[in-house]
Amino acid sequence: MENKTILLNTNREMPVIGLGVYKATGENEVERAICYATKAGYRLIDTASAYGNEDGVGRGVKQCSVSRDELFITTKIWNNAQRLGDIDGAFNRSLERLMTDYVDLYLIHWPVPGCYLQTWDKISTFYHEGRARSIGVSNFEIRHLKELESVSDIVPAVNQIEFHPYLYQKELVEYCQSRGIAVQAYAPLARGAYLDDDVMCVLATKYGKTPAQIGLRWILQKGVAIIPKSTQEERIINNAQLFDFEIEEEDMAIIDTLNKNQKYSGIPDDLKDVPF
């Protein structure tokens, strides 16, 4: 598999396709997925402390045939650690579970009100120490990014957001890209929501691809990286077969019109009653 990269504002290369491991908590499930993925050419693994599988990711990295320095590992700090101010502790526990002395990307998982500016200031020290090769954010809207910009000279390397044909966050993506912030799409398949869409099915037939591959390719052509989640070897392979075709401009415009501003990932329970 060809896996292109995007140059981050930290001068680090990040693969544009990675393996998401959200909810992969079954016995040896994440370890097997990582072995399938790395064998297929994936080099980016995306996890989070909240996923409860960082230890499995650590084991999977040890078990796979690819050396640590060839891999790009992302993890994230969860909301309760931000509220408690336990930033150092959370980061060190993640490193311990992952069995590594650094991560390639460390993200603030959610912009917890009253916390995320201080969290950003703290994780900036991990970046300066080299224990986080790049730092960034997840689920940040333009207003959150502007607040960060007003208090810190360090621009997030990445903003990881839900992004797919049914949630075309055009303004947010353009804002990030104008400031050198790479955008990475989680839930790029919208939990399967658009795979039976008539438009996607027609385009899949036209290009000799699956609706999933059409959706993922549309995202890549928007200049956005992807981390589709799967633990099945065939799907992991298929999700990466995106560089042997290009969606024509008029078809890209048609997919644009499918936007419903519909989120499928949801907001954490501890933020539902708070205007974050």
Side-chain angles (χ1 to χ4, degrees), residues 238-250:
N238 288 341
N239 286 342
Q241 294 178 340
L242 306 174
F243 298 116
D244 57 350
F245 76 109
E246 184 170 340
I247 301 174
E248 296 169 4
E249 193 173 329
E250 55 267 35

Side-chain angles (χ1 to χ4, degrees), residues 8 14 44-49 51 54 72-79 82 87 90-91 94 103-111 119-120 123 126 132 134-140 156-161 181-182 184 186 227:
L8 302 179
M14 182 180 77
L44 187 154
I45 312 297
D46 178 272
T47 186
S49 60
Y51 297 171
E54 286 176 316
F72 190 105
I73 298 176
T74 300
T75 194
K76 314 173 191 76
I77 186 167
W78 187 240
N79 305 341
Q82 292 191 64
I87 316 305
F91 183 64
S94 286
V103 290
D104 297 276
L105 180 62
Y106 195 56
L107 303 179
I108 298 176
H109 208 149
W110 286 87
T119 301
W120 182 253
I123 72 171
F126 306 151
S134 299
I135 56 174
V137 296
S138 180
N139 298 298
F140 273 47
V158 173
N159 187 14
Q160 189 182 106
I161 61 172
I181 303 170
Q184 188 178 53
Y186 72 79
I227 44 170

Side-chain angles (χ1 to χ4, degrees), residues 2-160:
E2 177 186 13
N3 198 341
K4 298 182 179 180
T5 61
I6 183 170
L7 183 65
L8 302 179
N9 59 25
T10 52
N11 209 33
R12 301 272 178 183
E13 298 279 350
M14 182 180 77
V16 298
I17 300 178
L19 177 72
V21 298
Y22 175 61
K23 288 190 174 179
T25 55
E27 186 175 359
N28 293 319
E29 186 177 24
V30 71
E31 293 91 331
R32 285 195 302 271
I34 288 172
C35 288
Y36 295 150
T38 51
K39 183 180 177 183
Y42 285 70
R43 292 296 179 265
L44 187 154
I45 312 297
D46 178 272
T47 186
S49 60
Y51 297 171
N53 60 13
E54 286 176 316
D55 52 349
V57 170
R59 289 191 297 270
V61 167
K62 296 286 187 185
Q63 293 169 14
C64 77
S65 58
V66 178
S67 63
R68 169 67 184 94
D69 61 0
E70 290 183 64
L71 295 173
F72 190 105
I73 298 176
T74 300
T75 194
K76 314 173 191 76
I77 186 167
W78 187 240
N79 305 341
N80 56 352
Q82 292 191 64
R83 293 191 180 97
L84 292 169
D86 187 26
I87 316 305
D88 276 305
F91 183 64
N92 290 328
R93 288 190 295 273
S94 286
L95 291 183
E96 185 177 346
R97 288 189 289 260
L98 290 164
M99 293 183 278
T100 184
D101 57 4
Y102 72 95
V103 290
D104 297 276
L105 180 62
Y106 195 56
L107 303 179
I108 298 176
H109 208 149
W110 286 87
V112 177
C115 298
Y116 66 86
L117 296 180
Q118 293 88 341
T119 301
W120 182 253
D121 182 62
K122 188 61 185 176
I123 72 171
S124 296
T125 65
F126 306 151
Y127 170 62
H128 289 305
E129 293 165 353
R131 295 195 296 152
R133 300 289 172 84
S134 299
I135 56 174
V137 296
S138 180
N139 298 298
F140 273 47
E141 298 172 1
I142 291 174
R143 59 193 175 92
H144 303 123
L145 295 170
K146 285 182 175 179
E147 276 200 89
L148 275 192
E149 192 177 316
S150 71
V151 300
S152 176
D153 293 333
I154 300 178
V155 177
V158 173
N159 187 14
Q160 189 182 106

